Amino acid sequence: MLSAASELFRRIEDELRSRVTARYASSSTSAYLLSRTDITSATTLADRMAGVPIVFDYMTSHPSIAAMYVGYEDGDFFLMRHLIAGSSQVKVLHPPDNATYFVWSIDHNQPGPPRSQYIFLNSSFKIVETRIIHNEIFDPRVRPWYAEGLKSGETTVTSPYVFFQTQEIGTTFADRRPDGRAVAGVDVTLASFSDLLQKMLPTPSSELVIFDGQHRIVADGRPFPKWVKSVGGLDLPKIEDGNRPVLAEIAQDKSDEVKHLTAVVSDNSTWQAVVSKLNVPGPSLYLALAAPQAELLAQADRIRNESLLVAIIAMSLATALAIICSRLASRPLQALTREAAAIQELKFDTPMEVRSHITEIDVLARTMESMKSTIRRFLSIGAALAGERNFDRLLECLLSETTYLASARGGMVYLTEPDGSLRCALARWDDVLAPTFPPDLQVERDDRHPVIRSLQQGSLAQIVHAAELSTWYGPFAEGDAMTLFAVPLRNRQAEIVGALALLQKVGALGDAQECEVLTLVEALSGTAAAAIDSQRLILEQKRLLESFIQLVADAIDRKSPYTGGHCQRVPELTKMIARAAEAATEGPFKDFALSEAQWEELHIAAWLHDCGKVTSPEYIVDKATKLETIYDRLHEVRMRFEVVKREAEVTCWREIAHGAPREQRLAELMTLWTVLDEEYSFVATCNEGGEFMAADKIERLHQIAQRTWTRTLDDRIGLSEDEKRRKARGQTPPPPAVEQLLADKPEHVVERRPEDRIAPDNEWGFKLDVPANLYNRGEIYNLTIGRGTLTAEDRYKINEHIVETIRMLSRLPLPRHLSHVVEIASGHHEKMDGTGYPRRLSREEMSWPARMMAIADIFEALTAADRPYKKAKTLSESLSIMAHMRDDSHIDPEIFDLVLSAEVYRTYAAAFLAPEQIDDVDPERYRLHA
């Protein structure tokens, strides 16, 4: 009788172990699959919500799963829960009446505290309510399931615990993404285990519990508190807390082997008990079963007889069946088991070749083969659509893969245009791209067209007769009626971005296959629409950035007639040099190649290389004479000469009026006027800045400056506040006052403010000799400039445009693939010997593209014909100057040699130079010979 009781215990134990193990295995697989979905790599709520429908469909078919969620490395959290009427989840969350699904999102991708929100969805996955949750502190990275899942390379299982949100008892299965940037978790409640234990009590007084290594009760066959309060919060009750001495005693023996124990309690009643370890992943769980021996013996006879009879019948039938079926089924079933495991692990690289004489097994094998192929293609399409950055290749991949999966003869991808029309962006027929595409569709004009009808009705599969087919799809018509599958493509905002249409001969597929095709196409449409919408958005953003860049460059060119077209020609010349480097098969550029992202980086850097010129004062950039500011101050000097001449004339006539010799005084006046005219002519010539200012010329300027004139008006009134402050620095006598003809006055100096200075340890690495003053407009100071028209302050201000370029570009939130834009754009004034500006970089510290742009900037400036202050140079003159710059280590010698050998200068000249600038060039003359 005790043996029969032991057998009963074993059957209860086996059934419980089987169910628990099955539940754990299913949950482990769920965690693994979730960790490989796109949700774990998504960075925005919209992208994560896009994967919600398929997860909820999966949870519907696995009711044991309480919740599925993902914790991200930045603290983000994304949880999905199926709301079941009457459950504890509903009692805690209080969802709207029409809510079927629940999403909890914690987002750190905005300033301020994390954004926590509850999102309730209906059965169609439409959002019915969103709740912003304030002051809710939850960080997945500190939860045990996240730490264990992140540390392990396999699926991990936590010890049973009380869930944070619903306060249910359960355990979590966790698996990390392959790159470790997120951990997926699956919550499984253990309440159903308690229900199962209650049904399996062998006698009315029996004790049946599942507990862990700490004696905490995970599931109980009798009513018992589901959790208790502890110092750390909520915890599971322990066996010792329930006044159940039998369980407390037998729970002490937790060995891996099954042991039958006899426990004697205070009332001297004898119990039969067994403790067994459940072989499940994660922390150990044990099953404890105890029953009073008196109750067991009362039913022992009946159990023994019934068990014996059932065992004999079952053994007989099983033996006969096993002998017949084992040989037929064992090998194919083992192969199918291996194939199922491979599918579970997402391994699709080997074909399935399982066949059996048993019809059901053979059908199962063929079905699994089809399923394996479909899943493989579906995953490959999803990966291709998600990873493809080229829009045309994206459309081609979408159409070719879809027509293959649907076994269609042909297909079209329509895209919605801004005016509401549908444009056929791509068409295929018999696996070949069509040379011509069907015409555009208008919603009002073509309302009978099947694609238009599909957009209006949601989805559509209908027969298109031969006459209609030739009207709509003439290039594809073969005189046969066709079945057209048309599915609208909707983005995340449920807006129609296009339509996918497939054509198949009528009767080529059965009704069931047509339903499967339509289901498959509809399943693909969401992924396809999201990919198309994302690519369109990226293209639109790139067009916006491109337009803004060209707008800035055009504004800089239009700001000054001296630099017109410079910002447009330098990018073209830089790209010509880069393409020549890519085409090189030997020499230093034989391995040179730019990726698509690097070409974009070079393009943006070239267009923005002078964006800092927007801050350069136009009157300095265009300073054509030495005294020019906003106007040419030579006119002030000329008026002083005029005043001196008039004063001399007045003095002459006054002396004549007082009796001085008339002819003598007039002759002296004419002589003085001649001297003044010649001196003014000399000053005007010095103002032009065309000749080198030798020491004798500078001395003569100082002598001329000593001439005086009389000012009779107050020069301190009617001024701006800034000019008044500068005026107050000097001692200005009241009128009438005698002043020099030319002077360097205190008010001519504009001091540099502290914020205009550059610290030696600045964050950009600038190494510049900054003049003490911002501007010095002293007349003698400017007229004695040695060469040209610019003072040291003026030249620094012009050179400062590259400083502003770096500052402006550094503040732009450039994406990672454009991280070198600043380095490329900022190096075109550096020299290979480290004496350039603004960072004094050497050749080794600069990238190839930066050095290429430096040469392009110089060559464009030399050959530019739109600069009124200089004559455009010919090809030979420009190359000769650049050869000297190469010899002085100002430009890169290898890139200059590439310009010569690849004849980049001729390509550029044909596109941008006037015919008279293109002369004969001997490249060997300018090469650097050893």
Side-chain angles (χ1 to χ4, degrees):
M1 291 180 182
L2 292 178
S3 177
S6 178
E7 177 64 18
L8 175 62
F9 281 22
R10 185 189 63 78
R11 287 193 292 107
I12 293 174
E13 173 196 345
D14 290 346
E15 183 173 356
L16 284 173
R17 179 181 286 109
S18 174
R19 296 197 182 191
V20 172
T21 302
R23 178 75 57 82
Y24 268 61
S26 173
S27 303
S28 178
T29 302
S30 301
Y32 175 85
L33 292 176
L34 179 60
S35 70
R36 267 59 178 179
T37 63
D38 291 343
I39 294 179
T40 60
S41 63
T43 58
T44 65
L45 177 59
D47 290 342
R48 294 166 185 167
M49 291 294 292
V52 162
I54 191 171
V55 175
F56 279 131
D57 288 343
Y58 182 84
M59 293 177 66
T60 302
S61 61
H62 294 74
S64 62
I65 297 177
M68 299 181 78
Y69 47 82
V70 179
Y72 300 86
E73 63 178 0
D74 60 355
D76 282 9
F77 183 67
F78 190 77
L79 177 142
M80 297 156 283
R81 189 184 300 281
H82 192 171
L83 300 176
I84 301 175
S87 64
S88 59
Q89 307 145 342
V90 174
K91 295 177 182 178
V92 171
L93 298 173
H94 304 292
D97 294 337
N98 58 342
T100 305
Y101 306 105
F102 167 75
V103 172
W104 180 17
S105 171
I106 299 178
D107 186 7
H108 292 70
N109 293 329
Q110 69 280 323
R115 181 181 178 88
S116 177
Q117 52 185 323
Y118 290 171
I119 303 172
F120 298 91
L121 301 93
N122 61 19
S123 58
S124 300
F125 307 109
K126 304 294 185 184
I127 297 177
V128 297
E129 183 180 340
T130 299
R131 300 175 188 170
I132 305 301
I133 309 302
H134 300 285
N135 302 323
E136 183 168 67
I137 302 175
F138 182 83
D139 190 340
R141 297 170 294 186
V142 303
R143 305 296 289 178
W145 58 267
Y146 186 97
E148 294 176 11
L150 187 63
K151 178 174 62 178
S152 175
E154 301 176 350
T155 305
T156 60
V157 186
T158 65
S159 298
Y161 66 102
V162 180
F163 292 155
F164 174 81
Q165 190 176 61
T166 62
Q167 299 183 356
E168 297 174 288
I169 297 175
T171 188
T172 297
F173 293 78
D175 203 333
R176 72 178 184 187
R177 267 180 60 83
D179 59 4
R181 298 184 66 181
V183 176
V186 174
D187 281 349
V188 179
T189 60
L190 301 180
S192 59
F193 288 162
S194 295
D195 297 337
L196 182 62
L197 295 182
Q198 293 174 17
K199 297 177 182 178
M200 301 188 71
L201 290 173
T203 66
S205 303
S206 299
E207 297 281 3
L208 182 57
V209 298
I210 296 176
F211 65 98
D212 64 10
Q214 304 174 24
H215 288 194
R216 299 185 306 169
I217 297 177
V218 174
D220 197 343
R222 296 189 177 279
F224 199 68
K226 64 179 181 178
W227 46 260
V228 296
K229 293 184 178 179
S230 65
V231 176
L234 301 180
D235 199 358
L236 305 181
K238 290 192 173 183
I239 291 177
E240 292 80 3
D241 299 336
N243 192 25
R244 302 160 87 173
V246 173
L247 293 179
E249 182 173 345
I250 66 174
Q252 302 302 319
D253 190 351
K254 302 191 293 297
S255 63
D256 294 343
E257 298 179 359
V258 177
K259 292 187 177 181
H260 295 272
L261 306 175
T262 300
V264 179
V265 293
S266 59
D267 57 359
N268 294 322
S269 60
T270 303
W271 295 66
Q272 291 295 321
V274 63
V275 176
S276 175
K277 182 179 180 181
L278 299 176
N279 295 323
V280 295
S284 300
L285 294 180
Y286 301 88
L287 172 66
L289 174 59
Q293 185 168 296
E295 294 181 4
L296 286 174
L297 296 179
Q299 302 181 32
D301 290 337
R302 182 178 59 81
I303 294 174
R304 179 196 60 193
N305 295 335
E306 291 178 356
S307 298
L308 182 60
L309 179 61
V310 170
I312 292 173
I313 295 174
M315 183 65 69
S316 300
L317 293 176
T319 302
L321 261 160
I323 294 174
I324 297 172
C325 298
S326 62
R327 297 180 180 177
L328 297 175
S330 60
R331 291 184 179 179
L333 287 176
Q334 290 174 359
L336 287 177
T337 301
R338 290 192 296 269
E339 290 292 343
I343 293 174
Q344 179 180 351
E345 296 173 1
L346 300 180
K347 296 179 179 179
F348 306 105
D349 51 346
T350 58
M352 184 180 292
E353 299 178 351
V354 180
R355 294 293 179 266
S356 174
H357 296 291
I358 301 177
T359 303
E360 289 77 4
I361 297 179
D362 192 63
V363 170
L364 175 61
R366 296 180 185 276
T367 303
M368 286 186 65
E369 181 178 10
S370 176
M371 177 187 68
K372 183 177 180 181
S373 176
T374 301
I375 293 176
R376 181 179 69 251
R377 300 289 293 190
F378 195 88
L379 291 178
S380 65
I381 291 175
L385 294 181
E388 183 57 67
R389 298 181 63 185
N390 184 281
F391 191 65
D392 294 333
R393 291 198 299 267
L394 172 71
L395 294 181
E396 186 172 351
C397 173
L398 166 66
L399 187 56
S400 62
E401 294 291 341
T402 306
T403 52
Y404 174 84
L405 281 177
S407 301
R409 287 288 307 279
M412 288 74 64
V413 176
Y414 288 90
L415 298 179
T416 304
E417 294 297 303
D419 61 358
S421 64
L422 286 179
R423 176 179 61 86
C424 183
L426 199 67
R428 294 180 68 90
W429 189 254
D430 288 336
D431 294 331
V432 178
L433 287 177
T436 58
F437 299 159
D440 295 350
L441 300 176
Q442 298 290 341
V443 176
E444 297 180 357
R445 183 192 66 195
D446 304 310
D447 57 338
R448 295 184 66 254
H449 195 284
V451 173
I452 299 297
R453 292 170 62 188
S454 76
L455 299 182
Q456 296 172 343
Q457 299 178 13
S459 64
L460 183 66
Q462 60 178 302
I463 295 177
V464 182
H465 297 290
E468 295 176 316
L469 186 68
S470 61
T471 300
W472 291 325
Y473 300 112
F476 307 144
E478 293 184 347
D480 297 326
M482 291 281 175
T483 300
L484 185 139
F485 302 91
V487 178
L489 303 177
R490 299 179 183 273
N491 61 14
R492 299 179 184 88
Q493 291 75 36
E495 300 169 342
I496 294 177
V497 297
L500 179 62
L502 301 177
L503 287 170
Q504 184 58 275
K505 285 187 178 181
V506 174
L509 301 174
D511 293 340
Q513 288 179 302
E514 285 193 0
C515 292
E516 291 175 359
V517 168
L518 188 58
T519 301
L520 178 63
V521 173
E522 288 180 330
L524 284 173
S525 65
T527 303
I532 290 174
D533 192 47
S534 297
Q535 286 295 323
R536 273 192 160 182
L537 181 60
I538 291 173
L539 289 176
E540 290 171 358
Q541 289 176 338
K542 285 187 175 181
R543 293 193 192 103
L544 175 61
L545 177 61
E546 178 71 17
S547 299
F548 178 75
I549 290 171
Q550 294 187 12
L551 181 145
V552 171
D554 186 59
I556 294 170
D557 282 344
R558 290 180 178 274
K559 178 181 177 183
S560 170
Y562 291 0
T563 59
H566 172 77
C567 292
Q568 301 177 34
R569 292 190 290 266
V570 168
E572 294 303 318
L573 180 53
T574 305
K575 293 176 188 177
M576 290 178 186
I577 298 173
R579 283 192 287 268
E582 281 196 328
T585 58
E586 57 184 8
F589 299 100
K590 65 178 181 179
D591 298 324
F592 180 84
L594 296 179
S595 65
E596 184 178 347
Q598 288 172 322
W599 273 111
E600 182 181 2
E601 202 171 45
L602 178 63
H603 172 79
I604 293 176
W607 274 93
L608 291 178
H609 77 285
D610 272 348
C611 66
K613 284 186 176 178
V614 298
T615 65
S616 300
E618 184 176 348
Y619 69 88
I620 292 182
V621 176
D622 297 349
K623 188 177 181 185
T625 63
K626 295 180 179 180
L627 291 178
E628 183 177 350
T629 53
I630 297 177
Y631 68 99
D632 195 336
R633 293 180 298 150
L634 179 66
H635 301 303
E636 292 185 14
V637 176
R638 178 177 55 81
M639 289 307 299
R640 293 177 202 156
F641 274 93
E642 296 282 5
V643 170
V644 171
K645 291 176 70 175
R646 295 301 175 270
E647 287 180 343
E649 183 179 15
V650 170
T651 301
C652 173
W653 288 111
R654 183 181 293 115
E655 291 177 351
I656 292 173
H658 287 82
R662 176 186 178 92
E663 297 300 329
Q664 180 183 349
R665 291 291 182 267
L666 289 176
E668 292 174 353
L669 177 63
M670 292 300 104
T671 300
L672 178 59
W673 277 13
T674 300
V675 172
L676 290 173
D677 290 347
E678 193 277 331
E679 288 180 347
Y680 173 73
S681 178
F682 174 75
V683 171
T685 302
C686 292
N687 186 47
E688 294 174 357
E691 297 181 4
F692 174 70
M693 288 295 293
D696 58 332
K697 294 183 179 180
I698 295 175
E699 177 61 28
R700 187 179 181 195
L701 269 176
H702 283 284
Q703 291 175 359
I704 295 173
Q706 298 306 313
R707 288 190 181 274
T708 60
W709 64 288
T710 303
R711 176 175 56 81
T712 61
L713 298 174
D714 192 346
D715 61 351
R716 293 170 296 181
I717 61 176
L719 305 178
S720 67
E721 293 300 321
D722 186 52
E723 194 168 357
K724 286 179 181 178
R725 285 192 293 270
R726 294 203 307 270
K727 198 80 172 176
R729 294 198 298 244
Q731 298 296 326
T732 304
V738 176
E739 295 189 358
Q740 291 183 205
L741 200 59
L742 299 172
D744 290 339
K745 298 181 179 180
E747 60 263 29
H748 287 152
V749 176
V750 180
E751 295 178 338
R752 187 176 297 276
R753 300 172 300 175
E755 56 267 30
D756 292 327
R757 301 183 182 278
I758 296 179
D761 58 344
N762 63 88
E763 60 181 295
W764 300 280
F766 297 146
K767 298 175 182 177
L768 295 170
D769 298 326
V770 183
N773 298 320
L774 187 63
Y775 302 112
N776 188 334
R777 296 166 182 158
E779 295 165 346
I780 300 176
Y781 179 78
N782 278 264
L783 286 171
T784 56
I785 294 171
R787 290 186 182 275
T789 62
L790 300 178
T791 64
E793 292 80 5
D794 295 336
R795 193 168 300 280
Y796 176 81
K797 196 64 181 176
I798 291 178
N799 293 344
E800 195 179 29
H801 81 273
I802 192 64
V803 171
E804 295 303 323
T805 294
I806 295 174
R807 284 173 170 168
M808 292 167 65
L809 294 181
S810 298
R811 288 193 291 266
L812 292 179
L814 294 170
R816 281 178 292 180
H817 73 283
L818 300 179
S819 59
H820 295 94
V821 164
V822 179
E823 186 268 335
I824 298 172
S826 63
H828 61 281
H829 287 297
E830 301 287 356
K831 297 178 182 179
M832 301 303 101
D833 59 0
T835 61
Y837 65 91
R839 293 171 172 162
R840 297 179 185 173
L841 300 177
S842 64
R843 179 174 184 259
E844 293 73 20
E845 295 176 295
M846 298 174 63
S847 65
W848 282 118
R851 285 180 261 168
M852 290 175 183
M853 190 182 299
I855 286 182
D857 189 73
I858 295 170
F859 189 78
E860 191 284 332
L862 291 173
T863 59
D866 52 8
R867 315 228 174 149
Y869 60 84
K870 76 173 190 68
K871 180 182 178 182
K873 299 188 181 299
T874 63
L875 282 179
S876 59
E877 291 172 337
S878 302
L879 293 175
S880 178
I881 293 173
M882 294 183 71
H884 287 296
M885 297 178 73
R886 175 205 57 203
D887 297 340
D888 293 337
S889 298
H890 289 180
I891 62 176
D892 189 281
E894 293 176 342
I895 298 178
F896 183 65
D897 186 68
L898 175 69
V899 171
L900 295 174
S901 60
E903 296 190 345
V904 175
Y905 60 91
R906 290 198 182 278
T907 306
Y908 177 79
F912 296 103
L913 299 191
E916 57 270 17
Q917 291 181 259
I918 306 175
D919 56 356
D920 293 332
V921 173
D922 179 11
E924 293 300 321
R925 176 185 173 189
Y926 309 110
R927 291 186 185 277
L928 182 63
H929 300 287

